[in-house]
Amino acid sequence: MLYGQEDLRLEEVADPTPAAGEVVIQVGAATTCGTDLKVWRRGGHAKMLKPPTLFGHEAAGQIVALGAGVQGWQVGDRIVANNSAPCTQCFFCQRQEYSLCPNLTWNNGTFAKYLKIPAPIVQQNMLRIPDELPWELAAMTEPLACVLHGIGRSQVKESDRVVILGDGAIGLMFVAVLAEKTEVLLWGGNDHRLVIGKKLGAAQTFNYHQIPDIPGVVKELTDGWGADVVIEATGVPSVWENAIACARPGATVNLFGGCPRDTTISVNTEQLHYSELTLKGVFHNTPEYVRTALSLLASRQIPFELLISEHRPLSDLEQVFNDMKARKVIKVALTPC
Ligand SMILES: [Zn+2]
Ligand SMILES: [Zn+2]
């Protein structure tokens, strides 16, 4: 249970029972995420949850109970469920802009032995996983779906030079997917993570502690123009501004990392106008990207397991969050015991 700022407690709660349309799974593995760290440090999240609440949003597991009327599923099925589902009825859903749905059903509580999946998620965003796919890889479906959504909106072309700012799990997932077709330059603050960025295909990596003039270096490496596509994956307003400064004329800048509430950035109007920049905000994922993400994970084409720093028992939960805060780990796979 998350009670507030840096106040996470392991407690006995009643086992969930599924109402009509719902499913309960026994968690095989739950993975931690940068969003969890952010929510834990801030003590809440505007859209996703309000403490006191069950916590954690990435998990895969096995169905142990089915509510009335659930069709096509059986006890024992291995599944992954996204942490949200759109309503399918609203203005945005009718236009297939599912990530903008104001009535998203959210689900939290993966850091537990059992997890209840709400009916809209069962209907739209719960997927069967192949027998041979480990729980912790399947659990990464949600963040990867967000990343694939981000890439889908970034107008990336083959052989583009792409700058990625941020060496967290999300930044590294962007590297892994984009490195197949583009030349990726990765900036981060942690040498260990940058090594993983290289393993995932980054052409070059840079530690901003040593090389702080990011736009200067990007321009040097791109004949003075700047990158074709820039992806910001830190959620820091000053880094958003830096991302825009790395863009070539005509570039797309994907401002992907969610910043603290009520923050603003400055944009140079001359650069935006005369350089015809596209500045994109991209939020969350859609049912289509949830499916593509699971297929990509199941294909094992990309070694996403490099993002799992450790496997730990759920009883270590608090220590795991302190390790994330200290940036000692990228993602941790938690197993209930
Ligand atoms: Zn996540
Ligand atoms: Zn909707």
Side-chain angles (χ1 to χ4, degrees):
M1 297 282 293
L2 179 72
Y3 278 90
Q5 227 173 356
E6 301 199 11
D7 186 359
L8 191 54
R9 303 179 211 164
L10 274 180
E11 286 179 3
E12 261 322 309
V13 298
D15 286 347
T17 38
E22 296 180 335
V23 158
V24 172
I25 65 166
Q26 178 165 2
V27 174
T31 41
T32 63
C33 161
T35 303
D36 296 328
L37 178 64
K38 211 158 74 174
V39 172
W40 176 72
R41 295 186 71 172
R42 292 176 191 168
H45 187 283
K47 283 181 184 279
M48 257 171 60
L49 57 79
K50 231 212 232 117
T53 173
L54 297 167
F55 194 45
H57 65 273
E58 298 176 9
Q62 198 158 26
I63 295 181
V64 291
L66 302 160
V70 175
Q71 309 247 311
W73 298 98
Q74 284 182 344
V75 168
D77 283 348
R78 286 165 52 92
I79 65 100
V80 61
N82 195 44
N83 66 333
S84 74
C87 78
T88 73
Q89 305 296 318
C90 72
F91 174 89
F92 298 98
C93 285
Q94 283 173 6
R95 286 158 183 78
Q96 283 85 51
E97 298 177 30
Y98 298 110
S99 54
L100 298 177
C101 173
N103 315 316
L104 286 175
T105 298
W106 292 100
N107 197 28
N108 291 286
T110 59
F111 301 144
K113 185 165 182 191
Y114 297 109
L115 172 71
K116 187 159 78 173
I117 317 289
I121 299 180
V122 171
Q123 278 161 28
Q124 293 171 68
N125 267 339
M126 188 170 92
L127 305 178
R128 208 175 299 276
I129 61 178
D131 287 344
E132 61 285 1
L133 187 65
W135 296 122
E136 65 276 16
L137 285 181
M140 287 196 276
T141 299
E142 184 269 331
L144 185 59
C146 298
V147 164
L148 296 179
H149 181 213
I151 291 171
R153 299 292 175 86
S154 298
Q155 311 188 64
V156 187
K157 290 184 285 300
E158 203 143 333
S159 329
D160 270 355
R161 280 183 289 205
V162 179
V163 164
I164 295 173
L165 304 180
D167 58 4
I170 292 288
L172 292 171
M173 280 186 170
F174 271 109
V175 171
V177 179
L178 285 169
E180 304 213 299
K181 288 198 174 134
T182 68
E183 185 186 327
V184 172
L185 311 174
L186 169 67
W187 256 269
N190 178 309
D191 285 333
H192 172 65
R193 290 166 185 236
L194 293 172
V195 168
I196 293 176
K198 269 256 151 131
K199 286 187 187 160
L200 291 170
Q204 293 189 65
T205 62
F206 307 87
N207 190 321
Y208 67 80
H209 296 299
Q210 282 127 40
I211 306 171
D213 178 18
I214 303 174
V217 174
V218 170
K219 287 191 178 147
E220 254 171 53
L221 294 168
T222 54
D223 313 311
W225 291 119
D228 302 298
V229 174
V230 185
I231 290 165
E232 195 287 341
T234 72
V236 177
S238 61
V239 183
W240 278 36
E241 291 181 349
N242 241 339
I244 298 167
C246 292
R248 72 156 168 85
T252 297
V253 183
N254 182 343
L255 302 164
F256 193 84
C259 295
R261 281 189 105 163
D262 299 324
T263 49
T264 55
I265 60 162
S266 299
V267 179
N268 181 307
T269 51
E270 204 176 299
Q271 189 198 4
L272 181 59
H273 177 77
Y274 292 104
S275 295
E276 298 189 9
L277 294 186
T278 301
L279 306 185
K280 290 288 302 172
V282 183
F283 170 66
H284 202 45
N285 60 39
T286 69
E288 187 193 338
Y289 286 115
V290 171
R291 281 154 181 78
T292 329
L294 177 59
S295 314
L296 183 54
L297 285 159
S299 76
R300 305 299 291 268
Q301 276 168 29
I302 295 175
F304 286 110
E305 56 275 11
L306 291 173
L307 301 177
I308 307 271
S309 311
E310 286 178 18
H311 290 75
R312 300 268 283 268
L314 186 58
S315 50
D316 285 359
L317 186 63
E318 224 192 333
Q319 186 54 47
V320 165
F321 271 77
N322 283 301
D323 290 350
M324 285 203 287
K325 186 180 174 183
R327 299 203 95 212
K328 285 188 198 158
V329 290
I330 305 175
K331 276 176 124 46
V332 174
L334 289 159
T335 318
C337 49

